[in-house]
Amino acid sequence: MTTTHPKHVDALIIGGGYAGMPAASVVARAGYDVLVLAGGRSAARSEETGSEPAQHGEVLHIGGMWDVNDLAYGSGALLRHRGARTFPLPAGDHLTRTRPRAWGTRELLTCSRDLLADVPRELVVADPNHERSTTILDDAQAVGLIGDESAVLGARVRFDNGTEQEITALLVVDASGADARTTTWLSDLGVAAVPVTTRGASEFMAGRRYQASEGRADILVTAVADGARSAVLVPIENGMWAVTQTSPDRERLAGADAFVDAALDLWDPSVGRLIAEAKPVGAVTVSPTSPLRRHRHERIRGPRGMVVIGDALATFSPLDARGPLATEAAARALREALGQGISRPTTSRRAQQAIAEEVTRLWSDPRTGRMGASRHVPVASKPSTHLSRARAALSRMLPSRTL
């Protein structure tokens, strides 16, 4: 049976993750057809590195339900219905870092990364509030762009059956993640090199899930930072915990015994003691992390018709609040720019400039990534001479997110 795919759409979204779904939703609600290429390089990257992506829990600081409903069709309510956990959050001055409507919010919502990915995706496709279609292709990924140095006109798409096809679009949004090949694709079109800023060092991140011990399912998020090493326990749906650890040494985290021992060996063994008494669910997954990168697409002239967002634009630690904050800001900037019309030459440029302003603020201020969580989530930092190093580690691994 032959499956046909569109040859032209209003908007083509490259990437079906957390960055791609809000972008797809705001474009669709602006009245345009959307095609999302959700196929990715994660499997290939796992084969290249010999590692599986670590599975982390998610901690969302709910900035008012208006916010999540605004970008993702009421995802907050459905997340709760599907088992996401909510916990009271004491009042504090961290709320001044969120938007004004969120100041009255006093909750944390926690869930698995799988649930956070599935719910917005489901609602983006099913949303009845727009007349244009939104289609997600899981068997397709972009392998290049079409156009020239002045304009991106679409993408070359490869399907799982090995066939390729060009799909043209009025707007291409690259939300393909940290493994994005955007700069290479643009170079192939003759676009000037995109300036890149890097910082940080490579390390390893490991994750494992556990069935919570009896009477412990409602434990709060627990995090410990000890120099370059850290551990965080996040309660998720179905009475389970998602536990994540970071270390410069892979062998310190790989394997069931090593994973528990590493947590027990931290100066505060709270996380280690909890998981030592709990039933593990699945194996330990370890993945390398690369130095963080920020691509300065706003500094080059053109091409029009393309916007880069999410980790394809600026990478943050997987457990850093600044990543999702940048994603949400990008969706809002894109929505505002679309008020000019999707085909206007200035639309993509205006959106990219607005997104760059938000990323600059988040990239340059590590405190924004913490969102004050160290005051309200039980976080243990080693005292005396190690305090500054512990805080530095916390800025990389705290999982607080604002929606």
Side-chain angles (χ1 to χ4, degrees):
M1 178 177 178
T2 302
T3 301
T4 59
H5 300 288
K7 295 183 178 181
H8 177 81
V9 291
D10 294 332
L12 185 64
I13 313 294
I14 303 175
Y18 186 70
M21 287 300 103
S25 70
V26 299
V27 175
R29 285 192 165 183
Y32 301 104
D33 290 327
V34 180
L35 178 64
V36 181
L37 306 178
R41 299 182 67 244
S42 58
R45 189 169 187 269
S46 296
E47 293 177 1
E48 294 170 4
T49 61
S51 303
E52 291 294 329
Q55 298 184 20
H56 314 294
E58 301 289 347
V59 179
L60 314 177
H61 167 237
I62 308 174
M65 291 310 297
W66 72 273
D67 204 5
V68 67
N69 291 343
D70 181 38
L71 286 179
Y73 307 123
S75 291
L78 187 55
L79 282 167
R80 288 177 170 177
H81 180 71
R82 297 278 176 85
R85 314 295 305 284
T86 56
F87 301 92
L89 177 69
D93 63 2
H94 73 289
L95 292 175
T96 62
R97 294 183 182 274
T98 65
R99 287 165 290 280
R101 297 185 194 181
W103 288 355
T105 301
R106 299 290 187 272
E107 284 188 319
L108 289 176
L109 182 147
T110 65
C111 65
S112 68
R113 181 157 293 188
D114 295 339
L115 190 64
L116 182 63
D118 291 345
V119 166
R121 173 190 170 110
E122 178 181 331
L123 292 177
V124 162
V125 174
D127 177 57
N129 296 323
H130 58 80
E131 298 179 357
R132 308 303 293 270
S133 65
T134 300
T135 304
I136 299 178
L137 298 181
D138 289 311
D139 65 340
Q141 61 178 306
V143 293
L145 299 173
I146 56 177
D148 56 31
E149 67 275 10
S150 65
V152 170
L153 304 176
R156 297 198 318 275
V157 179
R158 179 177 297 156
F159 301 94
D160 286 351
N161 62 8
T163 62
E164 292 190 10
Q165 174 184 320
E166 288 190 351
I167 298 178
T168 59
L170 300 175
L171 177 68
V172 175
V173 179
D174 190 343
S176 53
D179 295 327
R181 301 186 61 195
T182 320
T183 55
T184 300
W185 294 344
L186 290 173
S187 177
D188 292 341
L189 297 183
V191 178
V194 179
V196 181
T197 302
T198 63
R199 71 180 183 199
S202 300
E203 61 181 5
F204 293 92
M205 188 169 286
R208 194 177 200 186
R209 294 181 181 177
Y210 292 83
Q211 191 67 46
S213 305
E214 186 175 355
R216 297 279 193 150
D218 292 329
I219 193 170
L220 295 176
V221 177
T222 303
V224 178
D226 189 351
R229 297 169 54 214
S230 61
V232 58
L233 181 151
V234 178
I236 60 174
E237 60 272 15
N238 301 319
M240 292 197 295
W241 298 332
V243 181
T244 302
Q245 296 192 65
T246 62
S247 173
D249 182 2
R250 185 186 190 281
E251 298 306 316
R252 188 138 199 183
L253 303 175
D257 293 338
F259 190 79
V260 175
D261 291 343
L264 288 170
D265 195 42
L266 295 171
W267 81 270
D268 181 340
S270 300
V271 174
R273 289 172 179 168
L274 287 168
I275 63 177
E277 299 173 356
K279 179 182 178 181
V281 178
V284 176
T285 57
V286 184
S287 58
T289 63
S290 302
L292 306 181
R293 299 184 301 275
R294 180 188 176 188
H295 296 87
R296 308 300 298 266
H297 285 272
E298 78 281 4
R299 291 188 175 180
I300 64 172
R301 295 187 61 84
R304 66 180 183 272
M306 182 170 187
V307 176
V308 184
I309 64 174
D311 285 347
L313 180 66
T315 57
F316 296 89
S317 168
L319 297 179
D320 192 325
R322 289 169 292 178
L325 284 173
T327 290
E328 294 149 15
R332 290 188 174 85
L334 182 59
R335 179 173 59 191
E336 182 176 348
L338 285 171
Q340 295 185 348
I342 196 170
S343 60
R344 289 196 60 175
T346 57
T347 295
S348 58
R349 182 70 174 172
R350 180 181 178 184
Q352 196 71 70
Q353 291 285 358
I355 293 166
E357 292 178 6
E358 294 294 333
V359 171
T360 295
R361 178 178 63 84
L362 295 167
W363 181 270
S364 61
D365 183 8
R367 294 173 299 173
T368 307
R370 292 201 297 269
M371 293 299 293
S374 59
R375 298 173 186 168
H376 304 303
V377 176
V379 176
S381 298
K382 195 170 184 178
S384 67
T385 59
H386 296 280
L387 183 57
S388 61
R389 284 194 301 161
R391 286 175 175 168
L394 255 165
S395 71
R396 298 196 309 272
M397 57 75 70
L398 272 177
S400 172
R401 288 191 169 190
T402 298
L403 285 180

